[in-house]
């Protein structure tokens, strides 16, 4: 028996919920977004007809549609509507996967009535009870059902009979396929592959020239092949938390914030490992007299990336720290946990592609840290928390490499222990960061008696081979790395050297 997978996608969900909750908004151009963030998150179809779309800047949307009603959004209300919406699917099957707040899949293979009939009943029940419209696609797998639901929105109802997957997909442009973003689609178009059918007919070895390692999966999708299972929701964990008791009471706000950020790094890695998201963040402090205070807030939507928490930690710390006396403990708690909130979301729109890229980067960081230890990738707050005896020495050791005085050389110094390795040493490959060649950097390292040296050129590894060879000849352990800037946060990514030193 062929599977019957339904993809349900709410139409302009946030704006539609606002119109459903307030009858005065129905039939009028409505958008959910923020004057503060300046981006439209959802626009009603009345607003879309006037040129308003997501993620358009709010200021531009107001110029296009002077009568546009912009609402700040109420996530709790959207969450309740989401639960009510999917409750109708549970009336027919327990196999329901909620991939985001406004869309998900359910398996009607074993339903007592035809899948199309059951899906139509669900769609009509949502329309009557919640006063919002949804689009549905029915097919034998998640890929085809999702594309079917999105092709003719709003209020679409498209069924792709078993065996017709390739026929359905062939005339579509390649950007409908997961993993094919605007640049990749342009590259395929330049190679003469303007449709999904043409991608499906191209041998994998030729596709690899354009798509690299993702070529086999993209070609399988182009042929309508998708074996991903439905992942029903499970009971979520109650919370994730971590605390640190200081050896000495402290009032160092910078160090306290850095501690909270490191906790966020560790906790969010666990959240991702469990394939979950969190929405509520709570900071607790314990004073030197053992009394406690705390402060918390809920995010606009569930998150699984620590970078989404960083900007909130200092304000929460300041709110929780009501008495300006020293602290002996600080803790971070992540609660209101969702299971698989964004799992299996296909990157079919710019926002989804950006989230997918951030999630893949976070997964790569998690894997590197699991394999090589947490110190393989460090953020700015990790250096703030470094042992006091190490930080000044490292800073002193690196200074001659960054801005040497003209016509002068530093006096030779005694050899430093292996733990004192200067970071942020740049070669001229990073341009304006340094005027030193790789050979000159190694020569000065020899003069300083350094046992190891880390070169972290900004954004590239062009000098890595030359650096490793020069260091080997000088009997210095080379550590190659590069600087990355992710969501405004600097990272140091170190690569294991040819001599086995991390």
């Amino acid at each position: 028996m062929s599977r019957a997978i339904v993809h349900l996608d709410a139409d302009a969900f946030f704006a539609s919920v606002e119109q459903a909750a307030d009858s005065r908004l129905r039939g009028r151009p409505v958008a959910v977004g923020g004057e503060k963030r300046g981006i439209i998150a959802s626009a009603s179809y009345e607003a879309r007809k006037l040129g308003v779309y997501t993620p358009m800047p709010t200021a531009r949307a107001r110029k296009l549609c002077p009568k546009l009603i912009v609402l700040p959004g109420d996530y709790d209300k959207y969450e309740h509507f989401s639960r009510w919406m999917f409750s109708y699917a549970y009336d027919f099957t327990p196999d329901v996967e909620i991939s985001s707040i406004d869309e998900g899949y359910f398996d009607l293979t074993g339903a007592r009535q035809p899948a199309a009939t059951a899906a139509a009943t669900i769609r009509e029940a949502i329309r009557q009870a919640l006063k919002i419209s949804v689009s549905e696609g029915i097919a034998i797998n998640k890929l085809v059902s999702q594309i079917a639901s999105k092709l003719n929105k709003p209020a679409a109802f498209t069924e792709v009979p078993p065996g017709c997957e390739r026929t359905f997909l062939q005339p579509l442009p390649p950007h409908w396929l997961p993993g094919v973003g605007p640049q990749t689609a342009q590259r395929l178009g330049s190679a003469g592959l303007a449709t999904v059918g043409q991608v499906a007919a191209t041998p994998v070895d030729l596709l690899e020239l354009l798509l690299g390692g993702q070529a086999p999966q993209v070609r399988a999708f182009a042929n309508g092949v998708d074996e991903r299972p439905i992942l029903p929701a499970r009971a979520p964990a109650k919370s994730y938390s971590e605390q640190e008791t200081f050896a000495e009471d402290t009032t160092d706000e910078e160090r306290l914030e850095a501690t909270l950020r490191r906790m966020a790094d560790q906790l969010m890695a666990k959240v991702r490992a469990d394939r979950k998201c969190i929405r509520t963040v709570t900071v607790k402090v314990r004073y030197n007299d053992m009394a406690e205070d705390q402060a918390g807030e809920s995010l606009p939507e569930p998150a699984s990336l620590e970078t989404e928490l960083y900007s909130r930690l200092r304000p929460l710390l300041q709110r929780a720290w009501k008495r300006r006396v020293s602290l002996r403990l600080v803790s971070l708690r992540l609660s209101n946990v969702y299971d698989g909130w964004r799992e299996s979301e296909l990157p079919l729109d710019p926002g989804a592609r950006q989230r997918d890229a951030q999630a893949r980067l976070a997964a790569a960081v998690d894997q590197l840290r699991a394999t090589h230890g947490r110190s393989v990738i460090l953020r700015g707050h990790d250096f703030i928390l470094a042992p006091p005896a190490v930080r000044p020495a490292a800073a002193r050791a690196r200074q001659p490499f960054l801005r040497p005085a003209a016509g002068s050389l530093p006096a030779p110094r005694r050899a430093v222990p292996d733990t004192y390795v200067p970071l942020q040493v740049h070669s001229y490959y990073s341009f304006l960061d340094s005027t030193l060649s790789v050979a000159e950097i190694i020569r000065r390292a020899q003069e300083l008696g350094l046992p190891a040296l880390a070169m972290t050129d900004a954004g590239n590894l062009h000098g890595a081979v030359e650096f490793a060879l020069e260091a080997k000849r000088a009997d210095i352990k080379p550590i190659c790395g590069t600087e990355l800037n992710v969501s405004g946060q600097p990272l140091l990514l170190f690569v294991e050297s040819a001599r086995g030193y991390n």
Side-chain angles (χ1 to χ4, degrees), residues 152-194:
N152 300 303
K153 288 169 66 71
F157 188 78
T158 305
E159 182 177 11
V160 180
C164 298
E165 295 78 29
R166 293 185 62 184
T167 303
F168 170 74
L169 293 173
Q170 279 181 351
L172 301 178
H175 70 75
W176 282 100
L177 298 175
V180 179
Q183 294 182 347
T184 304
Q186 184 178 7
R187 192 157 60 246
L188 291 171
S190 300
L193 305 179

Side-chain angles (χ1 to χ4, degrees), residues 161-493:
C164 298
E165 295 78 29
R166 293 185 62 184
T167 303
F168 170 74
L169 293 173
Q170 279 181 351
L172 301 178
H175 70 75
W176 282 100
L177 298 175
V180 179
Q183 294 182 347
T184 304
Q186 184 178 7
R187 192 157 60 246
L188 291 171
S190 300
L193 305 179
T195 67
V196 172
Q198 291 172 330
V199 174
T202 304
V204 173
D205 56 345
L206 295 181
L207 275 182
E208 286 179 344
L209 299 176
L210 299 170
L211 304 178
Q214 66 175 342
Q217 184 62 75
V218 171
R219 189 174 186 274
F221 283 149
N223 282 284
V225 178
D226 181 12
E227 301 298 332
R228 290 174 300 162
I230 297 293
L231 302 174
R234 303 182 300 275
K238 292 183 178 181
S239 66
Y240 295 81
S241 62
E242 188 171 323
Q243 66 181 35
E244 181 169 333
T245 302
F246 303 110
E248 296 181 359
D249 297 345
T250 181
T251 58
D252 187 342
E253 187 170 331
E254 182 182 29
R255 189 170 185 82
L256 288 165
E257 181 187 6
T259 301
L260 289 171
R261 287 192 174 206
R262 183 174 62 185
M263 290 179 182
D265 293 345
Q266 296 167 345
L267 292 178
M268 278 305 209
K270 295 178 182 178
V271 169
R272 289 191 292 270
D274 291 343
R275 302 169 69 87
K276 296 182 180 180
C277 296
I278 61 93
R279 187 169 168 239
T280 301
V281 184
T282 304
V283 171
K284 183 179 72 174
V285 300
R286 180 178 297 165
Y287 303 106
N288 52 21
D289 61 358
M290 302 301 292
E292 296 181 350
D293 275 318
Q294 66 179 31
E297 68 171 299
S298 292
L299 306 176
E301 59 183 64
S304 61
L305 301 174
E306 54 270 30
T307 50
E308 298 179 76
L309 306 185
Y310 286 163
S311 63
R312 303 174 184 274
L313 294 178
R314 182 180 285 254
L316 284 174
L317 173 63
Q318 293 171 339
R319 284 166 48 195
W321 197 353
K322 296 180 175 64
R323 299 165 51 200
R324 304 309 290 180
V325 297
S326 60
L327 303 179
R328 66 177 305 162
L329 175 147
V330 66
S331 76
L332 180 65
R333 180 172 178 264
L334 310 179
S335 58
N336 206 351
V337 180
Y338 296 83
D339 189 39
W341 191 264
R342 286 177 178 165
E343 297 299 329
S344 303
E345 181 180 4
L346 297 181
L348 297 177
D349 60 79
R353 284 194 292 270
Q354 183 179 10
R355 291 193 296 271
D356 179 66
Q358 292 173 339
R360 285 188 284 110
L361 175 60
V365 171
D366 292 342
Q367 184 176 3
L368 282 170
R369 284 178 166 171
T371 304
H372 301 287
R374 191 179 186 282
S375 62
V376 70
I377 294 181
L378 300 176
R379 299 183 185 270
H381 51 268
D382 293 311
F383 292 101
I384 294 175
L385 297 173
V390 175
R391 285 187 289 157
R396 288 195 301 271
R398 78 181 183 184
Q399 185 61 32
F401 294 91
L402 295 179
R403 293 290 183 266
S408 65
L409 291 176
R413 303 181 185 180
R414 63 180 178 82
V416 294
D418 284 355
T419 54
Y420 295 93
V421 178
L423 302 179
Q424 295 286 37
V425 174
H426 294 314
S427 73
Y428 51 23
Y429 287 106
S430 288
F431 302 104
L432 305 174
D433 292 320
S434 174
T435 58
L436 298 181
S437 67
V438 170
E440 181 67 10
I441 289 175
I442 297 299
R443 185 178 70 81
R444 300 207 173 198
Q446 281 183 294
E447 292 176 353
L448 293 171
L450 298 177
L453 180 65
M455 186 180 76
T456 57
D457 278 344
N460 63 71
L461 288 172
H462 298 326
V465 174
E466 181 184 356
F467 173 68
L469 293 175
E470 290 285 347
K472 183 178 180 180
R473 282 192 285 267
D475 197 29
I476 293 175
K477 295 180 181 178
I479 308 170
C480 297
T482 186
E483 287 186 17
L484 301 176
N485 192 291
V486 181
S487 301
Q489 297 295 327
L491 294 176
L492 289 179
L493 175 61

Side-chain angles (χ1 to χ4, degrees), residues 91-147:
D91 291 340
F92 290 85
T93 176
D95 298 326
V96 179
E97 176 183 333
I98 303 174
S99 55
S100 69
I101 193 170
D102 61 345
E103 61 182 289
Y105 305 88
F106 47 95
D107 191 342
L108 294 178
T109 304
R112 296 182 178 180
Q113 54 185 293
T117 303
T121 301
I122 294 170
R123 183 166 57 98
E124 182 62 19
I126 293 172
R127 186 188 68 81
Q128 291 186 2
L130 302 183
K131 302 297 187 291
I132 63 175
S133 70
V134 299
S135 296
E136 289 179 321
I138 309 176
I140 64 170
N141 59 43
K142 295 167 77 171
L143 167 73
V144 179
S145 66
Q146 185 181 35
I147 295 176

